[in-house]
Amino acid sequence: MNTASILRVATNAPLSRLFDYLAPTDTAVAPGCRVRVQFGRQTQIGLVMEVANQSELPISKLRSVTEVIDTSPLLAASDLWLVKFTSDYYHHPIGEVVAAALPALLRQGRPLQDVVQRLSLTKAGLQTEPAQLSKRAKRQAELLTLIQGFDDPTFTTLDEAMPGWRRLKKSLLDKALVVEITTIDSGRDKNSLTVAEQESGPPLNSDQSEALASIRRVDGFRTTLLDGVTGSGKTEVYLRLMADEIAAGRQVLVLVPEIGLTPQLVRRFERRLGFEPVVLHSGLSDSERLSAWRGAREGSAQLIVGTRSAIFVPMRTPGLIIVDEEHDASLKQQEGLRYSARDLAVARAKKLNVPVILGSATPSLETLQRCREGAYEIAELPIRAGNAVPPLMRLIDLTRFDAQDGLSEPVVKAITKNIDSNGQVLIYLNRRGFAPTLICGGCGVVAECTRCDSRMTVHATSGLLKCHHCGAQRNVDAVCGECGSHCRPLGHGTERLEDALQNRFPGESISRIDSDSTRLKGTMNKALAMATSGETRILVGTQMLSKGHHFPNLTLVVVINADQGLFSTDFRGAERLAQSLVQVAGRSGREERQGEVIIQTAFPEHPFWNEMFGGGYSKVASNALLEREKAVWPPFSRIALVRASATRREDAHEFLQHALKLTQQAAIADVRVLGPVGAPMERKAGRYRAQLLLQSRDRHSLHRLLAILRHSLEGDKAARRVRWSLDVDPIELF
Ligand code: ADP
Ligand code: ZN
Ligand code: ZN
C-alpha cells in the first residue's frame, strides 16, 4: 500500500463522482483549495473535496495535479459539507454544485485576493507642472495632469478616464515622475461603510415581542416559521434578531426571492442597522460578486442579503439565517441544479447549529405541515402592525358585468373614487405584453409558435409577436397567412390594460411595471420610487409588483382575472392562487387608510372563493392539506421527476421507458412510479419533453432509488439522444 497523498477532486464533468489525483510532494493541499488538473485531454480547474491516502486506482495510474491555485482553502469544512450535501440530496453532479457555490472569477482560476495596480506620484511628479514637459509630449502632460488630480489612481480608474494611457506609462516611469504600486484588495473595505444616521424602529407590539422572545429562547439550531399577515411587522422582528447577532460579532444571511424586492428592503436594513449590507444577486458584475463573496467569507460582511444562490456563500462567523417569503417559488431553481434555497437553508443552519427563520404571510404547505408535526416552531403575527387594518375584499361576477378592456363597471367606479380621494391604485394582471395572442377575424386561426406548443403574445410597443417560452419573435401579421383576412389581438396583457387606463383616466400618472418595462438598468428603481412617493396614481403590473413592496398611499388593488388559477392542473393550484391573491391584496392599505381589494372572476360559485372569503389563506391551506393527505401528495409524500427532452418525441419516451425499467429492476418497495407521460406543453423550443414521476411516503426509499437511477443513467448509451435531469421535490410538475 502506497501512502502518497491523494486529492479527491470535483471537476467540471456531469458526473457524480470525484476524481483522484496525486498531490504535489512539496506543497500541502487541503480540502477546499482549487487545483488545475489534466482531465481527459483538457486542463480544468477543480476543487479538492477530500484528501486521502489511498485510491481505488493503482497509484501508478494517477496523474499529479498540474498546479495548486490556493494556498489556503477557499471553502471551509462546513461549506464543503453543504456542497456535498446538495450534490447528494439533489442527486446532481458535484462539479456543477461547486460551480454554483463559487463566483465566476474563482471558477476561472482568478486569485481570491484581487491585485490592484496604481500609479503614485514621486516627489518630482508632484512638483512638475505638466506644461513643463516637452511640447511633443502633449499626451504625457495630459496623463500627468490626470494623475495629479487623483489620489494614487488605480489602473482601472485611468482606463476609464483616459483610454490609451497605458502606452504613455513607460515615459512617465522613465522620467521618474511616477512609480507603480501593487496592493492586494482584500475586500475588507466591504461593509465598513457606515451611514450617517441610524434610525431607531418603532417599539414592538405584544405579538412581535412574544415572537422575538420565543425565537431568542433557544440557542443554536432551530427552525421557526414567522407566520405573519402582510404588514404585521415581520421585518421589524428580523431587524431585532439581526442587531443581536451583529452586536455579538456574528454574521446574518437573509435570502429573498427576487431582485425586485431587494432595493427597498436593503435601504431599510441600512438605515436601521447603520451600515450597508452586502448584496448578492444575479445583477452584479463578476468582480462585484467576488468582492461580496470575499467579504462574507472573511467575516467583514456582517449582513448578507441575497437571492437563492446566496445560500452557498461561505461565512466565517455565521449566526443566523433568515428566509423571507419562504413560500415563494423563485427560491427553487428550475433548471440545472434544481435546489430549494429554503430547504438548503434549514439543512445548513442545522449543520452550523444556528437558528433559521422562515417568514411568510402565506407559508407553504410543506412548512405548515412541519410545524404541525412539531419539527418547526411557529411564531404568529396575526394582525397588522401600527394603525393599519386589513383591507376589505370583494368579488365581482364577470358574468353579470360587461368588462370592457378587461375592466368591469364596478372596477372603473372604484378606481375613480379612489383617485378622487387622493388614493393610489394597483391593477394586477399576471400577463405581460399587449394581448395573449393574435386571432384571424376570418378563419379564427391563432398565432402559434413554430417551436413550442403555445401561442405567441402580441407586444404592441415593439410591434412583435413573441413566444414567452422560447424567446422566438416575428413581426405581427397584418393579415392572416391562411385566408388573408385581418388579424386582431385577443385578450388582455398589461400593455393593453395600460392603454385602456390611459384612455379612461386621461391626465393621471400611470405606470406599468413588468419585466418588459423594467428591462433597462435603473428603470425598476425609478418606477418603484415614483410609486412609493405617491406620484404614480395607477400602477399596472404582473407578479413583479405584487410582492414585498410597501407603497404608503396604495388603497385599492384590482385583480383583473383570477380564473386561470382556479382550474390549474397542478396539485398546488389552490395554494398558489391563494398565495398570490393574499400577497397582492397585502399591498393595499398598509398605513392609515383602510385598503380595498377587488377581484374579478367569471366563476363566483367556485368553492375556492368560499374558503378564501370565509377563512382566508389559513382556511385554503388547511383544506388543501386535507386533500393532499387523501391523495398522498407532498407534504404527505416525497416526489421526484426524471425529466427528459429530445428533438424526436420517441427518443424522450424511449429513454424514460429505460429509466422505468431500471426502477423496476431496483425493486424498491413503497416507491410508486408513474409515466412516462409527455409534459402538457410537450414541445418547447423545438424539443419534446416527457417525464417520469416517482412518489413515496418514505424519503429514504425514494432517495435510494434516485441514487440507483443516477448511477445507472450516467454514461448510459440510452442517454445520448436526450437531455435528462432529476428534479427532487419539484414545485412545478410540468
Ligand atoms: P411585514 O414584514 O410583515 O410585511 P413590516 O415589518 O414591513 O411588515 O411592517 C409593516 C409596516 O408597519 C412598516 O411600515 C413598519 O414600519 C410598521 N411597523 C412594524 N412594526 C410596528 C410597530 N410595532 N409599531 C408601529 N409600526 C410598526
Ligand atoms: Zn384566417
Ligand atoms: Zn416558442
Side-chain angles (χ1 to χ4, degrees):
M1 181 63 51
N2 201 321
T3 57
S5 182
I6 311 288
L7 305 181
R8 315 209 60 215
V9 178
T11 60
N12 185 15
L15 299 170
S16 308
R17 50 177 287 238
L18 299 173
F19 292 85
D20 290 358
Y21 289 88
L22 290 175
T25 46
D26 52 345
T27 3
V29 185
C33 290
R34 287 170 300 164
V35 288
R36 224 178 282 277
V37 295
Q38 194 69 27
F39 188 77
R41 254 174 264 146
Q42 293 174 312
T43 310
Q44 273 201 7
I45 291 167
L47 190 75
V48 178
M49 296 297 297
E50 295 163 19
V51 179
N53 51 26
Q54 45 187 330
S55 173
E56 282 171 18
L57 292 172
I59 299 290
S60 58
K61 286 255 167 99
L62 296 183
R63 288 169 159 170
S64 298
V65 300
T66 318
E67 185 198 342
V68 178
I69 301 177
D70 302 299
T71 47
S72 62
L74 286 182
L75 296 181
S78 65
D79 305 321
L80 290 173
W81 174 88
L82 183 64
V83 166
K84 183 77 175 43
F85 175 84
T86 305
S87 166
D88 289 346
Y89 185 84
Y90 291 102
H91 301 273
H92 198 82
I94 189 138
E96 291 180 19
V97 181
V98 169
L102 293 183
L105 292 176
L106 295 180
R107 296 203 298 274
Q108 291 155 18
R110 282 271 291 269
L112 176 64
Q113 313 290 16
D114 256 345
V115 171
V116 182
Q117 291 171 294
R118 303 167 181 278
L119 284 187
S120 184
L121 292 167
T122 59
K123 203 165 167 201
L126 272 170
Q127 289 163 352
T128 305
E129 281 292 326
Q132 289 170 258
L133 295 183
S134 131
K135 279 210 187 65
R136 291 214 309 274
K138 249 208 191 128
R139 296 266 292 161
Q140 282 178 41
E142 228 176 276
L143 179 58
L144 184 61
T145 315
L146 193 62
I147 299 169
Q148 288 176 344
F150 281 106
D151 188 12
D152 297 350
T154 64
F155 282 18
T156 326
T157 309
L158 292 172
D159 284 339
E160 275 162 24
M162 185 177 173
W165 70 276
R166 285 173 192 254
R167 264 172 282 138
L168 311 164
K169 185 180 71 181
K170 192 171 177 303
S171 320
L172 295 195
L173 286 170
D174 289 347
K175 294 183 180 136
L177 296 172
V178 296
V179 288
E180 248 184 85
I181 38 179
T182 302
T183 49
I184 286 177
D185 168 20
S186 66
R188 277 192 202 281
D189 50 339
K190 267 283 151 210
N191 222 3
S192 54
L193 280 166
T194 41
V195 295
E197 244 172 283
Q198 189 174 346
E199 284 173 14
S200 57
L204 297 187
N205 62 35
S206 60
D207 292 324
Q208 288 170 316
S209 308
E210 219 172 280
L212 187 64
S214 117
I215 295 167
R216 278 178 178 159
R217 208 167 294 139
V218 173
D219 267 343
F221 170 68
R222 187 169 69 168
T223 311
T224 305
L225 167 65
L226 185 57
D227 181 357
V229 300
T230 53
S232 60
K234 293 183 291 296
T235 311
E236 285 302 322
V237 176
Y238 300 157
L239 278 163
R240 307 294 163 119
L241 293 167
M242 288 174 188
D244 283 357
E245 295 302 319
I246 290 162
R250 291 186 292 260
Q251 293 170 282
V252 179
L253 173 63
V254 182
L255 298 179
V256 294
E258 263 162 281
I259 180 64
L261 300 179
T262 9
Q264 278 185 326
L265 192 69
V266 169
R267 294 291 88 79
R268 186 163 161 200
F269 290 164
E270 181 176 312
R271 285 197 311 269
R272 293 288 297 285
L273 297 168
F275 64 85
E276 229 180 277
V278 164
V279 184
L280 273 170
H281 57 71
S282 55
L284 298 181
S285 72
D286 285 350
S287 58
E288 285 170 328
R289 173 168 286 270
L290 175 59
S291 168
W293 192 89
R294 206 164 41 201
R297 179 183 170 277
E298 287 172 358
S300 56
Q302 296 155 282
L303 173 61
I304 303 136
V305 184
T307 46
R308 65 174 176 254
S309 65
I311 188 58
F312 293 110
V313 78
M315 285 183 282
R316 189 189 175 105
T317 53
L320 171 69
I321 303 178
I322 295 171
V323 183
D324 193 26
E325 310 293 355
E326 67 87 31
H327 64 278
D328 200 289
S330 55
L331 287 165
K332 169 115 195 208
Q333 178 142 306
Q334 305 273 28
E335 56 189 31
L337 170 58
R338 295 166 183 264
Y339 65 96
S340 156
R342 174 197 62 209
D343 295 348
L344 287 181
V346 174
R348 189 176 180 195
K350 184 171 183 194
K351 177 72 183 173
L352 296 170
N353 194 30
V354 302
V356 56
I357 313 296
L358 310 179
S360 178
T362 53
S364 65
L365 299 197
E366 279 78 3
T367 298
L368 284 175
Q369 183 57 23
R370 313 254 29 214
C371 291
R372 290 184 176 189
E373 289 162 357
Y376 296 174
E377 285 299 311
I378 184 164
E380 285 171 302
L381 304 178
I383 54 164
R384 281 190 161 181
N387 298 320
V389 290
L392 291 171
M393 290 232 223
R394 71 184 155 120
L395 210 54
I396 298 294
D397 179 356
L398 284 181
T399 60
R400 286 184 43 218
F401 296 100
D402 253 4
Q404 268 203 359
D405 296 322
L407 303 162
S408 65
E409 215 32 57
V411 161
V412 174
K413 269 200 197 127
I415 297 176
T416 313
K417 193 169 137 244
N418 246 270
I419 292 180
D420 289 347
S421 63
N422 245 335
Q424 189 183 40
V425 184
L426 188 163
I427 308 209
Y428 173 72
L429 176 61
N430 208 11
R431 231 184 224 156
R432 64 193 174 89
F434 186 78
T437 194
L438 192 70
I439 188 167
C440 163
C443 69
V445 78
V446 295
E448 283 181 351
C449 177
T450 53
R451 306 170 67 220
C452 305
D453 295 330
S454 83
R455 295 169 172 186
M456 305 284 275
T457 302
V458 183
H459 284 256
T461 321
S462 53
L464 293 172
L465 288 173
K466 294 183 187 174
C467 173
H468 289 181
H469 300 284
C470 72
Q473 53 184 54
R474 59 173 198 258
N475 290 330
V476 172
D477 322 306
V479 294
C480 172
E482 304 285 322
C483 74
S485 308
H486 277 285
C487 294
R488 61 186 167 79
L490 183 69
H492 294 88
T494 46
E495 273 186 5
R496 189 175 208 170
L497 202 54
E498 186 190 10
D499 278 4
L501 288 160
Q502 211 67 264
N503 289 332
R504 295 274 185 124
F505 302 98
E508 295 299 342
S509 157
I510 299 174
S511 158
R512 173 166 59 90
I513 299 187
D514 56 29
S515 56
D516 298 314
S517 72
T518 56
R519 193 150 289 154
L520 289 175
K521 207 174 169 166
T523 48
M524 175 77 172
N525 285 355
K526 195 167 157 228
L528 287 180
M530 276 175 66
T532 308
S533 72
E535 190 180 337
T536 308
R537 306 304 301 281
I538 304 178
L539 288 154
V540 184
T542 55
Q543 49 98 19
M544 203 177 224
L545 200 51
S546 71
K547 298 184 253 180
H549 305 294
H550 182 80
F551 304 124
N553 301 302
L554 192 77
T555 40
L556 172 66
V557 166
V558 177
V559 178
I560 292 296
N561 188 337
D563 295 344
Q564 261 178 316
L566 290 176
F567 302 102
S568 159
T569 51
D570 196 311
F571 70 90
R572 287 194 171 85
E575 178 188 357
R576 287 278 156 69
L577 176 59
Q579 285 167 342
S580 60
L581 291 176
V582 171
Q583 292 294 339
V584 70
R587 300 314 110 211
S588 182
R590 289 171 70 89
E591 300 218 335
E592 305 294 319
R593 290 171 59 181
Q594 180 168 32
E596 188 184 359
V597 180
I598 304 179
I599 302 167
Q600 301 190 129
T601 178
F603 303 91
E605 305 301 328
H606 195 286
F608 174 84
W609 297 119
N610 244 329
E611 292 175 18
M612 193 66 202
F613 282 84
Y617 182 74
S618 63
K619 182 75 185 162
V620 174
S622 56
N623 279 0
L625 275 172
L626 286 174
E627 277 169 29
R628 299 238 196 128
E629 188 163 20
K630 257 189 258 153
V632 203
W633 280 119
F636 301 95
S637 66
R638 297 293 188 128
I639 56 174
L641 292 176
V642 186
R643 300 173 184 271
S645 76
T647 48
R648 301 190 325 157
R649 183 187 279 118
E650 310 83 80
D651 290 340
H653 282 262
E654 259 167 44
F655 171 80
L656 290 175
Q657 282 297 346
H658 174 65
L660 175 63
K661 243 187 239 120
L662 292 173
T663 66
Q664 289 158 350
Q665 281 163 12
I668 292 179
D670 48 278
V671 182
R672 209 152 66 106
V673 185
L674 298 163
V677 290
M681 195 185 101
E682 189 176 20
R683 203 165 47 101
K684 182 175 168 182
R687 302 182 68 86
Y688 290 87
R689 308 178 307 152
Q691 63 203 27
L692 205 58
L693 175 74
L694 317 183
Q695 182 178 34
S696 178
R697 283 178 195 271
D698 180 31
R699 175 159 72 93
H700 300 287
S701 303
L702 179 65
H703 279 261
R704 229 167 359 113
L705 182 57
L706 286 168
I708 293 171
L709 265 182
R710 154 130 326 254
H711 185 80
S712 321
L713 291 175
E714 261 181 16
D716 197 312
K717 267 200 231 107
R720 279 189 201 153
R721 281 193 297 267
V722 302
R723 284 187 205 144
W724 67 278
S725 63
L726 299 179
D727 188 351
V728 179
D729 308 330
I731 56 160
E732 294 302 351
L733 276 199
F734 304 108

